[in-house]
Amino acid sequence: MKEWFITNFPNVVQQGWTGETGWWTSIVQTLYMTFWSAIFGGIAGLIFGIALVLFDSDGIMPNKIIFNIVDKVVSLFRAIPFIILLAFIAPVTQKIVGTQIGTTAALVPLSVGVFPFYARQVQVALQSVNQGTIESAQSLGSSNWDIISGVYLSEAFPELIRVSTVTLISLVGLTAMAGAIGAGGLGNMAISYGYNRFANDTTLVATILVVIMVLIIQVVGDVWARWVDHSSKA
């Protein structure tokens, strides 16, 4: 088996497991970019998503001006293709990180790129909460914070897990795209050491590893969402 693999995947073996261009290094870089950009972009997306629901005309804090500002900001960044966004905010990345290349530098465009997508996902999830439940909480004298945390986020939690899963999967794809322009990770491995060098075996293995990551995220997200959903109904 070992000899078969070496014969059929020579470029994969040549890359090695460790080192600057090793497979383990690429996997860790992809996980690093996915995790931290999910944290930063997720927090921003959650805040904007909640704001879109609260300040809407039928929200608990209707405010047309704030809603329009938040809505336009989300729509603007949502409309920019990620590959263009990478170049567009490069000066900002330079100011924040001190460089435009590398895994840490990629966190800025990745966070900015994922937050509007997640904000819309959160908006849809929160809008699925039964309006009667919200009105009941208001009639009992609950504060806005109590309604946000105890009704919106609590009732929509299973759906928030599902949309977070979708967002994470999308983010893995964005890290691969960022890797193609020097951010490292499996995207960089597939393009720089695979496609550009006609090493199809390297591209194939990098692709398989990305697919495995996506499948793990999908399975964990689905199982967690179902468990939370059943627990809340029990």
Side-chain angles (χ1 to χ4, degrees), residues 15 21 23 31 63 69 79 88 93 120 128 141 170 184-185 198 215 230:
Q15 288 298 134
T21 61
W23 286 98
L31 293 174
N63 188 310
I69 292 174
F88 179 69
T93 302
R120 290 299 184 194
S128 68
S170 175
F198 304 100
L215 289 175
H230 290 321

Side-chain angles (χ1 to χ4, degrees), residues 50-163:
I50 292 174
L52 285 169
V53 174
L54 296 183
F55 298 119
D56 198 0
S57 57
D58 57 352
I60 62 174
M61 301 167 60
N63 188 310
K64 187 176 181 179
I65 296 176
I66 297 179
F67 175 81
N68 284 333
I69 292 174
V70 175
D71 183 62
K72 294 301 183 291
V73 169
V74 171
S75 297
L76 174 65
F77 283 100
R78 186 85 172 87
I80 303 175
F82 183 67
I83 197 70
I84 296 177
L85 182 66
L86 287 168
F88 179 69
I89 67 170
V92 178
T93 302
Q94 180 72 39
K95 291 287 186 181
I96 296 175
V97 184
T99 180
Q100 299 178 17
I101 300 174
T103 52
T104 301
L107 297 181
V108 178
L110 284 170
S111 300
V112 174
V114 79
F115 103 83
F117 176 79
Y118 188 53
R120 290 299 184 194
Q121 297 285 325
V122 170
Q123 179 186 14
V124 172
L126 297 184
Q127 286 177 335
S128 68
V129 175
N130 190 299
Q131 192 65 29
T133 306
I134 299 170
E135 292 173 355
S136 297
Q138 288 177 315
S139 66
L140 292 172
S142 300
S143 65
N144 289 335
W145 173 250
D146 289 334
I147 295 174
I148 293 170
S149 59
V151 180
Y152 275 121
L153 296 180
S154 178
E155 292 292 321
F157 191 49
E159 190 60 30
L160 286 173
I161 294 174
R162 293 187 182 95
V163 300

